[in-house]
Amino acid sequence: AHMVLPIVILLVTSLIVQLEYRNNMWKQVHASPQTLTALFFARLLIILGAVLGFFVVLLLGLYAITLVPLLFFPQVDYPQGPLPLGFFALQSLRYFVDILPIVALQYLLSLHFKNFMIPLGVGMAQWLVVIGCLSWKYLYIFPYSYLSLDFESTHELHRVSAPPADYPILALSYFVVITIISLILYTSKKERG
């Protein structure tokens, strides 16, 4: 999941913003009596809601994986211990926070380029850099890396030097800074449509 999720985030963020460009909805949205800040955060919340929905479906899928074999194979017993749904939910929340910088950067890029391929290409390039440099001790400076680094540190798959702060804290910091920069660029942009 930590290898596929950033690609899903790249696509979802770029496509949601691109829908408004393709259908010329920007003109109608900007003609409404809303402030630019409200429009900016409304789109961002829609993207975050879609990503959060993905995590909910993922958790439901994990639960269904334990139940489906019971329906088809009568010799399979229901798990004896309780399912660690709390652990899954906590890890999902942690990973959700880890991908927030990806959402913010892709949103920033998608707002400033009408062509769908530019934000997608930049995001894919950054993601490939992260995959290629997973053992680099300073990889935590790349916001696209937090999901993979957090996953690997949780599962002790890879030993890299410890970052200056926990990965979700770094991710939230990047998310806030990138969102503020994106809002400033969006509100000061002369042509939005």
Side-chain angles (χ1 to χ4, degrees):
H2 73 97
M3 292 299 214
V4 176
L5 186 59
I7 296 169
V8 171
I9 301 305
L10 296 173
L11 289 170
V12 165
T13 306
S14 299
L15 283 173
I16 286 176
V17 176
Q18 185 64 25
L19 283 174
E20 292 180 352
Y21 281 130
R22 293 298 246 184
N23 297 327
N24 284 328
M25 294 300 293
W26 283 110
K27 294 175 186 175
Q28 292 176 359
V29 168
H30 287 127
S32 69
Q34 303 294 326
T35 65
L36 292 176
T37 305
L39 294 174
F40 176 85
F41 283 111
R43 280 187 217 100
L44 183 60
L45 287 175
I46 289 169
I47 293 168
L48 291 174
V51 172
L52 190 60
F54 176 78
F55 276 97
V56 169
V57 168
L58 183 65
L59 279 174
L60 292 174
L62 286 172
Y63 185 68
I65 286 172
T66 60
L67 297 180
V68 169
L70 300 174
L71 299 174
F72 295 107
F73 304 105
Q75 67 273 19
V76 174
D77 295 329
Y78 189 79
Q80 296 299 320
L83 294 174
L85 292 178
F87 172 76
F88 290 148
L90 186 62
Q91 284 302 109
S92 293
L93 178 63
R94 188 173 172 97
Y95 296 152
F96 176 76
V97 171
D98 288 341
I99 56 103
L100 287 177
I102 299 174
V103 171
L105 273 171
Q106 286 305 120
Y107 186 52
L108 181 139
L109 292 171
S110 296
L111 284 174
H112 293 285
F113 295 102
K114 292 180 184 178
N115 188 344
F116 168 73
M117 295 307 290
I118 294 173
L120 189 62
V122 170
M124 289 296 286
Q126 290 186 31
W127 178 235
L128 290 174
V129 166
V130 166
I131 291 173
C133 299
L134 277 176
S135 61
W136 187 41
K137 67 180 181 177
Y138 297 111
L139 188 61
Y140 62 85
I141 62 173
F142 286 100
Y144 280 64
S145 67
Y146 296 133
L147 179 65
S148 294
L149 291 174
D150 199 8
F151 180 83
E152 288 184 352
S153 68
T154 302
H155 294 85
E156 296 180 5
L157 296 174
H158 213 267
R159 291 286 179 184
V160 293
S161 60
D166 199 22
Y167 293 117
I169 293 170
L170 288 171
L172 275 175
S173 302
Y174 263 108
F175 176 72
V176 169
V177 169
I178 294 167
T179 302
I180 290 170
I181 291 169
S182 183
L183 177 63
I184 291 168
L185 291 174
Y186 177 70
T187 56
S188 64
K189 191 175 181 183
K190 291 189 176 149
E191 185 201 323
R192 291 176 192 86

